[in-house]
Amino acid sequence: MHAEKNKLIDPFNREIKYVRLSVTDRCNMRCFYCLPKHFKNFEQPDHWLNIDETERVINAFAELGVARVRITGGEPLVRKNINQLVQRICDIDGIDDLSLSTNASLLSQHAQSLHDAGISRINVSLDSLRADRFRTITGGELGPVLEGLMAARHAGFKPIKINMLALKDINDDEFESMIEFCLEHDFSLRFIETMPMGSTGRKASDHFLDLGKVRKQLSTRFDFIPGVMPGGGPARYVRVNNSDLRIGFITPLSQHFCETCNRVRLSVDGTLYLCLGQEHKYELRPLLRQGISDDGLKNAIIEAIAIKPEKHEFRDRPGQVVRLMSMTGG
Ligand SMILES: C[S@@+](CC[C@H](N)C(=O)[O-])C[C@H]1O[C@@H](n2cnc3c(N)ncnc32)[C@H](O)[C@@H]1O
Ligand code: SF4
């Protein structure tokens, strides 16, 4: 609602310190819970913020106290010149934590250059370790994803977090093998509940699994020590005893964490989304293209933060978010 000296504080007294930056709404996969198979209604290229515009917006956020940026999409690695964009964001004063979410299918080509450019932490979506099942869920191939993961490890990313959507009747027999896989390769793991974003997300609700129950069940097999992850974030983490493996249970539906929300999302067309589970938004692209000053841009961001809603309503109003997850990147 107001900017204390270099701070963005929303109407619920939460400090906004984190921007999820979607650099494209396109993707080379079609995860059934995210992007409809024949979806064509992508943002037109002349609406994409170019590298200079993106840098300006993130710079304005940094001057307002934002220190963390996660690059996401769609699939961020399908964006041309992604390395250059990453480098420019990385060089912004005040951004001290730059991370990436990717499906990893193109990561083997990019891992080293992204790491050299300044990204140190990555999240990789991986819902199954079985090639046929992976193809059914995502429409893509498992082999290149595993190659991408190994390339990332080789390039020095740490931590590498695997994001696995927990899907009833689809991959609920693979949780233990995913834990073993992460133990073997020194990855972290986060189980995630499906969210009713767009038509695809709502259909996926049929496969919703309450992660509280999953956690209970897994703890009969693994010795979990409750803990917290440095840097906070929504995940409720445990550590597997006698190992370094941390496992997060991300429970936006069964137990939401809106009261500590510290983030907003910028889509590729320059729209700021104030909440993942609401449609409240503020368009920055027209202002950028009308030549707004740097101070004007900061004021616009302050105005946007003033409409950040208190919480999502995925449970009470599951039909209300019409945009797809691929527009804002989770
Ligand atoms: C939209 S993707 C963007 C980044 C990249 N393409 C990837 O897959 O990691 C970011 C995350 O959103 C998750 N996601 C997509 N649709 C979802 C849904 N309906 N409910 C919960 N998570 C979803 C994906 O599993 C992924 O981990
Ligand atoms: S979850 Fe990621 S990889 Fe899957 S369709 Fe959505 S954007 Fe693409």
Side-chain angles (χ1 to χ4, degrees), residues 33 125-129 134 137 163-165 171 174 178:
Y33 46 74
S125 298
L126 183 60
D127 298 330
S128 175
L129 291 166
F134 184 87
I137 297 173
N163 279 348
M164 181 183 196
L165 238 66
N171 65 2
E174 278 196 74
M178 193 61 84

Side-chain angles (χ1 to χ4, degrees), residues 60-311:
F61 269 110
E63 288 184 6
L64 291 165
V66 164
R68 290 173 72 185
V69 174
R70 171 172 293 277
I71 295 187
T72 179
E75 173 46 42
L77 302 189
V78 304
R79 172 92 188 238
K80 254 197 206 148
N81 302 328
I82 181 70
N83 290 331
Q84 199 190 341
L85 198 155
V86 164
Q87 185 71 64
R88 295 269 291 271
I89 305 292
C90 215
D91 289 345
I92 293 174
D93 252 4
I95 300 301
D96 53 29
D97 180 7
L98 185 60
S99 56
L100 172 81
S101 287
T102 173
N103 64 30
S105 58
L106 301 171
L107 191 56
S108 58
Q109 293 125 267
H110 290 277
Q112 195 63 57
S113 50
L114 289 169
H115 192 266
D116 293 347
I119 292 186
S120 53
R121 304 188 295 112
I122 52 168
N123 287 5
V124 171
S125 298
L126 183 60
D127 298 330
S128 175
L129 291 166
R130 300 188 191 174
D132 53 343
R133 187 180 278 177
F134 184 87
R135 198 176 299 125
T136 306
I137 297 173
T138 68
E141 294 300 317
L142 179 62
V145 171
L146 297 179
E147 280 166 31
L149 272 167
M150 299 312 148
R153 207 176 52 169
H154 189 251
F157 287 96
K158 187 93 182 158
I160 297 172
K161 287 187 194 165
I162 303 294
N163 279 348
M164 181 183 196
L165 238 66
L167 298 161
K168 182 163 58 113
D169 299 332
I170 294 186
N171 65 2
D172 47 357
D173 56 350
E174 278 196 74
F175 299 154
E176 294 187 12
S177 43
M178 193 61 84
I179 292 177
E180 303 284 1
F181 175 77
C182 291
L183 277 167
E184 182 187 344
H185 295 288
D186 197 18
F187 300 145
S188 301
L189 176 58
R190 310 190 322 159
F191 294 111
I192 303 176
E193 288 175 350
T194 60
M195 293 172 245
M197 300 276 300
S199 52
T200 42
R202 274 194 299 287
K203 265 190 241 150
S205 301
D206 295 346
H207 300 282
F208 175 79
L209 264 181
D210 179 334
L211 283 180
K213 293 183 185 151
V214 171
R215 176 172 169 167
K216 229 182 221 162
Q217 192 195 330
L218 287 172
S219 61
T220 61
R221 158 87 202 275
F222 298 93
D223 186 6
F224 289 157
I225 313 217
V228 279
M229 200 69 164
R236 316 285 153 106
Y237 278 88
V238 298
R239 187 170 60 75
V240 176
N241 201 9
N242 296 321
S243 82
D244 290 332
L245 175 61
R246 285 169 193 276
I247 303 179
F249 294 85
I250 303 195
T251 55
L253 268 83
S254 65
Q255 197 189 13
H256 72 66
F257 30 76
C258 301
E259 64 282 358
T260 57
C261 182
N262 63 354
R263 64 202 58 190
V264 293
R265 296 167 170 85
L266 180 67
S267 64
V268 68
D269 67 339
T271 306
L272 261 188
Y273 287 93
L274 285 312
C275 172
L276 184 61
Q278 301 277 8
E279 295 289 4
H280 299 61
K281 60 186 174 190
Y282 193 104
E283 307 215 354
L284 295 176
R285 187 184 76 250
L287 304 177
L288 290 163
R289 296 197 177 167
Q290 282 154 18
I292 195 168
S293 68
D294 288 346
D295 282 344
L297 183 55
K298 281 196 273 184
N299 284 332
I301 290 171
I302 292 165
E303 257 179 61
I305 299 301
I307 58 164
K308 185 169 165 62
E310 183 179 10
K311 57 185 181 191

